[in-house]
Structure formats: C-alpha cells, structure tokens
Amino acid sequence: MAYAHREIETAAKKLKERFDKLDDKRAILRAPELTALYEQIKTFPAGKPRADFGQEVNALKTELEDLVRQSLAPRRTPLAPIDVTAPFDVNTPADKHPAFLPAKDGSRHPVTQELRTVLDIFYRMGFNAEESPEIDDDYHMFTSLNFPPDHPARDDYDTFITEEGLIAPAHTSTMQNRVMKKYKPDLEAGQGIHVVIPGRVFRNEDLDARHEHTFYQLEGVYVDEGINAGHLVATIKAWLSTYFHKEVKIKIQPFYFPFTEPSFEFAASCPFCDEKGCNICSYTGWIELGGCGMINPNVLKQAGIDSQKYTGFAWGFGIERLVMLKYNIEDIRHFESANLKFLRQL
Ligand code: DAH
C-alpha cells in the first residue's frame, strides 16, 4: 500500500523491513516510529488535513496488524493422507522413517495362537478354512439361516446394525450359506463339504468376566450323503481329544437354534480333573463349549443343496473360552484390553 504523506510512506517502508527481521513480530506494533506518527496527528490543522493524516496513520497500523496476524497463524502445508497400515507416519520425511519394529518385541495374540493350533487339528482332519467378514447383511445373519422375519429367535443375537442395514455379525453361522454355495460343486462331485470358519463376532452384551462385545468363534460345516448326529459327536470328540491331548467324552443336550434340527449344546468331560470336579469346570465335571446340530433342511435349500439327498451338521464355539480354560484366565475382557502385562504372560 502506498501512502500520500511522505513521512508515513518512509516510516512504512522502514517498519516493514524491520518486521522481516524481528523474532517477536508483535513488537512492530510498539515501534517508536508508529507512536511518533500518532503524536504528529495533532500538529496538523483541525479539519481535512488532520483527518487525512490520521486516516493514513491508522491504515499503516492496520497493515502492520495484518502482517502480525498472518505471521502467527499456523502454517497449513498439505499433508499426505494417513495410511493406517503403514508401520510409520507417512508424513515423516523419508530419511527420518524409523526402522521396522523388531519382531522380537512382539508376539502373536493368545487368541491367534490358539486359533492356529485348533485350525491345524482341523486341517489334519481334512477340513478347509474360510474366514468370515466383520460386516454382513440381514440375509446371511438371519434369513439364510431360517430365522423368519420378526421371529423372536432374532433377539438372541442382539448386535449392531447401521442405518443402511449392515450388520456386525453376532456369530460365524453367517458363513454357512456362503460356504455351502461355494463348495456345492465339490459336494455334487462326491467330495462332501467340510469347512471350518474362524471369525470375529459382535454382541450387544452386558459386559462381565464371561461376556465381551467382541470375540472370536470357530464354526464348522459338514455336508455329505448319509451324515447323521453320530458323525457330529465323533467329529467334536476327535478334535477336542486332540486339542486337550487326552481322550474326552462328549455330552450333547437338546437346545434350540433355527438353523439346526435337532439342535444341541455340547460339553466335554473336564480334561483337568477327569470329571472329579475342579474350579475350572465349576465342580460339575463337564465343560460347556458351544452349540451344534443337524443342518436344517431349509438352510440347505437356501444354498441350493438337495436336502433329500444330502444331510449335514454344523457347530459353533467361542475361541476365548478355550484359551481361558487352557491357561486358567479368569476374565474374558483381558483379551481385547491390549494390556501388555496380560499378553506377556502367555
Ligand atoms: N451360531 C450359534 C451361536 O453363536 C452357535 C451354533 C449353534 C453354530 C449351532 C452352529 C450350530 O453352526 O449348528 O450361538
């Protein structure tokens, strides 16, 4: 900005040069030159000459204030979007990227560790594994599993639903329809369907030592010609005996699930006390593990499988519960707590 009064123009030039060199930019507003210009106003004859001079002094002050304000405003340089999967902040200059964290400083989460052990057993028994998604829809969560619309059984799976109708799955049974459709050609080629499905599931729970809002399940699906509940019990017995390194007995008792008929809850004889009763089995001699049953013909039909020709069984259980039993862990909430003191013990 140019000033009509020579003394103001000279002062403005001088002050702006000084401003560039100042550490504390605000000091420019206390410059003696500026005070002197204000003092000078009254030396002008009252009326237009004084008003003109006064207005220019004020304009200079405003110009300096703007400079100060700009110098104090945080500088906005565009930042690269954050890649949450990167092992360091992508906005750090390339030559300052930290090295990858050494693997020795971390370890697998106990649930992952245990899941691998369990999956290994099922691989050796001839099962494939398929992972379940962490966001799903009504069809896979309910309809394909023979839950009629508005059926009260839906209330047992109280979970989180978005306004668009997406569902945080409350169990891994959401995958039954998908795996049956996927492996139907194998079934019809005479190979049978035998799949286990690990997955993360979510429930609207009142949290306590035995209930978490987020946990892991392992689902199993087996379909072939001539399959009956004896095969179901034998399969569960075989894997649990391998898992506990000890021959366990299996007990099933009637239960209700819309997707199986008949439906059961299954329990294993306590491998820690051989049914004598101990604190792990709450002195009952048995450990309840999950749900199972013969796949409801409606569920087979939803997957396009001929329910006259083929039958099958399915089960589902919580992985954390197994880990809790194995390591005598008293509270399920430890698993999602990210508490290193807890994790390092395992
Ligand atoms: N989805 C059931 C639950 O989370 C568990 C279950 C029961 C799974 C019976 C099955 C089954 O595959 O056949 O409570």
Side-chain angles (χ1 to χ4, degrees), residues 160-179:
F160 308 94
I161 303 186
T162 70
E163 281 161 9
E164 302 93 328
L166 295 171
I167 298 181
H171 57 177
T172 43
S173 305
T174 48
M175 285 294 288
Q176 289 198 7
N177 183 267
R178 290 190 180 94
V179 299

Side-chain angles (χ1 to χ4, degrees), residues 58 96 98 108 121 164 181 202 224 234 270 305 314 338:
N58 276 334
K96 297 217 169 61
R108 289 204 176 91
I121 298 173
E164 302 93 328
K181 279 181 180 153
F202 310 90
D224 209 339
C270 179
I305 290 176

Side-chain angles (χ1 to χ4, degrees), residues 157 170-173 176 203 215 217-221 257 259-260 263-264 290-295 313-317:
Y157 299 89
H171 57 177
T172 43
S173 305
Q176 289 198 7
R203 299 223 177 147
F215 58 103
Q217 282 190 330
L218 188 87
E219 186 90 5
V221 175
F257 297 107
F259 35 98
T260 38
S263 303
F264 312 104
C292 61
M294 299 305 293
I295 299 173
F313 60 82
W315 74 80
F317 64 84

Side-chain angles (χ1 to χ4, degrees), residues 107-114 320 334-338 342-343:
S107 60
R108 289 204 176 91
H109 190 277
V111 170
T112 306
Q113 229 164 278
E114 217 53 26
E320 281 84 352
H334 289 315
F335 292 105
E336 293 277 326
S337 69
F342 164 73
L343 293 171

Side-chain angles (χ1 to χ4, degrees), residues 55-286:
Q55 264 171 20
E56 282 213 325
V57 178
N58 276 334
L60 173 61
K61 187 170 180 222
T62 308
E63 194 185 355
L64 294 173
E65 280 170 346
D66 285 347
L67 286 176
V68 171
R69 202 171 304 117
Q70 283 164 22
S71 76
L72 295 179
R75 257 175 238 289
R76 293 190 194 279
T77 39
L79 294 180
I82 292 171
D83 174 0
V84 292
T85 64
F88 43 75
D89 180 354
V90 288
N91 290 308
T92 341
D95 59 327
K96 297 217 169 61
H97 281 172
F100 285 92
L101 288 174
K104 70 174 170 48
D105 287 348
S107 60
R108 289 204 176 91
H109 190 277
V111 170
T112 306
Q113 229 164 278
E114 217 53 26
L115 185 58
R116 289 186 167 216
T117 310
V118 174
L119 285 177
D120 267 348
I121 298 173
F122 281 109
Y123 293 150
R124 276 178 273 147
M125 289 169 72
F127 282 79
N128 298 340
E130 298 279 346
E131 237 174 315
S132 72
E134 293 183 9
I135 193 91
D136 219 314
D137 52 33
D138 183 273
Y139 178 74
H140 292 96
M141 179 66 216
F142 295 116
T143 309
S144 69
L145 289 165
N146 194 39
F147 287 83
D150 302 323
H151 193 279
R154 289 184 177 226
D155 292 349
D156 293 338
Y157 299 89
D158 185 9
T159 180
F160 308 94
I161 303 186
T162 70
E163 281 161 9
E164 302 93 328
L166 295 171
I167 298 181
H171 57 177
T172 43
S173 305
T174 48
M175 285 294 288
Q176 289 198 7
N177 183 267
R178 290 190 180 94
V179 299
M180 285 194 263
K181 279 181 180 153
K182 175 171 175 184
Y183 291 97
K184 188 181 159 205
D186 292 351
L187 176 67
E188 290 170 352
Q191 291 168 31
I193 297 175
H194 12 77
V195 186
V196 282
I197 305 136
R200 195 182 199 197
V201 297
F202 310 90
R203 299 223 177 147
N204 181 11
E205 290 277 13
D206 286 332
L207 306 188
D208 61 27
R210 284 174 166 254
H211 297 92
E212 244 304 14
H213 50 72
T214 303
F215 58 103
Y216 288 79
Q217 282 190 330
L218 188 87
E219 186 90 5
V221 175
Y222 199 112
V223 185
D224 209 339
E225 279 183 65
I227 297 300
N228 60 47
H231 298 113
L232 162 62
V233 175
T235 304
I236 293 178
K237 181 177 160 78
W239 93 258
L240 282 173
S241 297
T242 313
Y243 181 73
F244 287 123
H245 302 287
K246 176 177 267 186
E247 190 77 11
V248 293
K249 291 186 209 160
I250 300 297
K251 185 164 78 173
I252 56 173
Q253 52 195 26
F255 202 75
Y256 170 74
F257 297 107
F259 35 98
T260 38
E261 183 58 44
S263 303
F264 312 104
E265 275 187 325
F266 66 92
S269 57
C270 179
F272 303 101
C273 65
D274 293 324
E275 285 174 73
K276 287 187 196 75
C278 65
N279 66 334
I280 297 178
C281 61
S282 310
Y283 300 93
T284 63
W286 292 89

